[in-house]
Amino acid sequence: MKPRLLQHGRLPERIEAKLAEHFDVHPFWSETDPAGYLAKHGGEFVALTARAATGVDAATIAALPALRVISSFGVGLDKLDLDAARARGIAVGYTPDVLNDCVADTAFALLMDAARQVSAADRYVRRGEWPKAAYPLTTRVSGKRLGIVGLGRIGRVIAKRSSGFDMEVRYFGRQPQEGVSYGFEPSIEALARWADFLVLATSGGPNTKHLISANVLEALGPEGYLINIARGTVVDEAALVDALTNKKIAGAGLDVFENEPHVPEALFKLDNVVLLPHVASGTHETRKAMADLVFDNLQSFFETGKVLKSAV
Ligand code: 8YV
């Protein structure tokens, strides 16, 4: 008898096929009356898959009285009610580490594009403007100062990448970290004042909501750049739109937004911001590794009682 598994949101095809081989899967995302379905069938499920982008709330967990394990596709936990899972002794697996490289690569892709205006210059050529005038000068990256907000798994890889550009690195976090050679800034405003590039690599959720305020953006200043590969909620997006529109900061590179997939349309016409649709982990290699880990977390739980990568 295959364990009953509720698939909360769509997953890459490879993992959906693999899950179906080992579990009795129900595609919850296809339900037209999700609450009604859970009221009738919620008690049948011992396992749940989720996505970092959409998470799982306490009400859904409460509607699954037999739930024993959640396996989430992604590293972000800001939309997954971990307290509700802990209260029930539900194991929660997620997919850290396997996406560090691609997310760190994307941080530098955004940083280079924002500073050297790669995308804007490409649009300039395609509009046929090159014959009329040379493209304006942009900003050097090598040898500049990199401030990292959140020196966690991904933040540390970003810091490591910076050596390729001879950049000086400082970071902000809850407390200084043992065994790192980078300078610690106890104040995010101080880090923003120091940095040429401020890269956000912290977790999302209520503790970091609007951590990047209008004041922090003012400290970053008209020669500073903001790069966000963390969560849109970390930034006061209205303040960022104002800062970019009125050139209070030099530019930004954004892979995440407060209300995805909706992006403030005021940004669309600006050449000092690079806009990506939350694709930092979106490579064939990384999404395969994430999908495999979603399955491996479940398999480990049913074989040993523990997931491989636990979020609780
Ligand atoms: C996810 C992400 O792949 O891992 C995360 O937390 O933000 C992305 O890498 C995407 O959100 C899928 O849910």
Side-chain angles (χ1 to χ4, degrees):
M1 185 83 164
K2 292 179 185 176
R4 281 284 265 159
L5 181 148
L6 193 67
Q7 184 184 327
H8 195 267
R10 290 302 318 240
L11 292 168
E13 197 173 320
R14 66 178 280 111
I15 178 69
E16 290 188 346
K18 202 168 179 181
L19 289 171
E21 289 173 21
H22 295 82
F23 296 93
D24 178 2
V25 180
H26 182 75
F28 188 55
W29 45 268
S30 67
E31 281 301 324
T32 53
D33 175 14
Y37 181 82
L38 287 181
K40 194 170 180 184
H41 299 285
E44 300 167 12
F45 297 94
V46 294
L48 175 73
T49 56
R51 290 183 62 106
T54 46
V56 180
D57 62 16
T60 302
I61 293 173
L64 298 164
L67 190 63
R68 297 174 58 207
V69 59
I70 298 170
S71 186
S72 183
F73 179 84
V75 67
L77 298 166
D78 50 306
K79 293 186 177 175
L80 211 167
D81 197 316
L82 296 179
D83 290 339
R86 283 192 197 96
R88 289 262 304 279
I90 296 168
V92 180
Y94 69 137
T95 63
D97 296 326
V98 295
L99 45 65
N100 294 351
D101 282 330
C102 280
V103 177
D105 292 349
T106 304
F108 268 94
L110 286 167
L111 188 153
M112 286 300 294
D113 196 335
R116 301 302 308 274
Q117 296 202 352
V118 175
S119 302
D122 174 272
R123 291 191 295 271
Y124 178 86
V125 173
R126 294 172 193 266
R127 288 195 304 266
E129 295 190 29
W130 190 7
K132 303 170 192 167
Y135 193 79
L137 297 180
T138 59
T139 299
R140 176 189 174 112
V141 171
S142 291
K144 292 293 182 69
R145 290 169 298 194
L146 180 67
I148 300 176
V149 178
L151 198 67
R153 293 180 170 94
I154 294 172
R156 287 179 180 229
V157 178
I158 292 169
K160 184 180 164 191
R161 294 270 191 285
S162 71
S163 61
F165 293 90
D166 300 317
M167 298 177 90
E168 185 183 354
V169 178
R170 289 186 186 177
Y171 71 99
F172 168 82
R174 284 189 293 269
Q175 63 273 328
Q177 293 191 25
E178 296 291 323
V180 299
S181 58
Y182 314 117
F184 174 72
E185 284 288 354
S187 146
I188 199 160
E189 283 83 1
L191 183 66
R193 259 191 300 281
W194 174 85
D196 298 305
F197 298 92
L198 189 67
V199 178
L200 309 186
T202 188
S203 58
N207 295 335
T208 59
K209 184 168 173 59
H210 289 193
L211 186 65
I212 306 304
S213 62
N215 288 341
V216 173
L217 292 170
E218 186 179 347
L220 183 58
E223 295 181 0
Y225 292 82
L226 181 75
I227 307 301
N228 193 0
I229 44 85
R231 283 291 185 266
T233 53
V234 177
V235 180
D236 176 340
E237 201 160 79
L240 178 59
V241 172
D242 171 60
L244 289 165
T245 304
N246 296 299
K247 301 190 184 329
K248 294 178 182 176
I249 65 172
L254 308 172
D255 184 47
V256 288
F257 302 86
E258 277 205 278
N259 185 26
E260 294 175 13
H262 307 292
V263 177
E265 291 196 7
L267 297 178
F268 290 0
K269 62 182 181 296
L270 301 180
D271 274 342
N272 61 346
V273 60
V274 184
L275 306 172
L276 292 182
H278 200 154
V279 291
S281 69
T283 61
H284 295 291
E285 298 85 350
T286 288
R287 290 294 168 90
K288 175 184 180 300
M290 291 167 66
D292 290 345
L293 187 46
V294 166
F295 178 81
D296 293 346
N297 274 324
L298 288 166
Q299 187 172 54
S300 171
F301 176 80
F302 284 102
E303 288 176 356
T304 70
K306 291 185 177 180
V307 295
L308 292 180
K309 297 285 185 180
S310 177
V312 291

